[in-house]
Amino acid sequence: GSFSESIPPAAPIAAFSTLRPNDDKSSLNIYILFQDSSATVQVVWQDDDSGWKGPSTFSAFNGADNGTSIACLTASSWFNVPLQANSDMSRCYFQAGGALREVQNNGTGWEVVGYVSVA
């Protein structure tokens, strides 16, 4: 399915995935983050068979610097270690107020983990 709105051209964008809990281990939750034209970080996701949800924003993304890069982690799934559901590695990074903010998807929303030291 398609998103309910378009992602702006040249928008910062990142994505990650986790396994769906209580699934047959073949379906993924997919999260896509992008910054819209008003500098708000938006999230669209698919966590069931009903299609894409969002875009929505969460307070963990408040104050993102305009034009920031966004990077997200997907937990490792190699060497016979399967991708996990709601992994604590479901984290994203972006600049806010000139500092590198780390946020985590906790399975029901987003929370600020803190700021990464770049010194």
Side-chain angles (χ1 to χ4, degrees):
S2 62
F3 303 137
S4 60
E5 73 176 49
S6 297
I7 295 175
I13 187 170
F16 71 94
S17 59
T18 62
L19 277 179
R20 290 188 185 161
N22 305 319
D23 197 272
D24 63 2
K25 304 298 182 205
S26 64
S27 296
L28 295 176
N29 290 335
I30 302 168
Y31 300 86
I32 300 173
L33 290 74
F34 66 94
Q35 192 174 44
D36 68 16
S37 58
S38 66
T40 302
V41 175
Q42 300 283 349
V43 182
V44 291
W45 68 96
Q46 192 172 50
D47 60 0
D48 59 29
D49 293 330
S50 68
W52 289 99
K53 298 176 175 107
S56 295
T57 190
F58 300 86
S59 62
F61 299 107
N62 288 353
D65 293 349
N66 190 17
T68 184
S69 294
I70 306 169
C72 297
L73 299 175
T74 292
S76 170
S77 62
W78 46 278
F79 291 117
N80 297 321
V81 177
L83 190 62
Q84 300 295 309
N86 298 326
S87 167
D88 64 352
M89 290 297 294
S90 299
R91 297 180 182 213
C92 296
Y93 303 84
F94 59 94
Q95 283 193 298
L100 186 59
R101 185 182 295 170
E102 179 178 18
V103 296
Q104 179 179 17
N105 179 283
N106 60 20
T108 59
W110 292 85
E111 56 192 34
V112 175
V113 174
Y115 291 86
V116 177
S117 173
V118 292

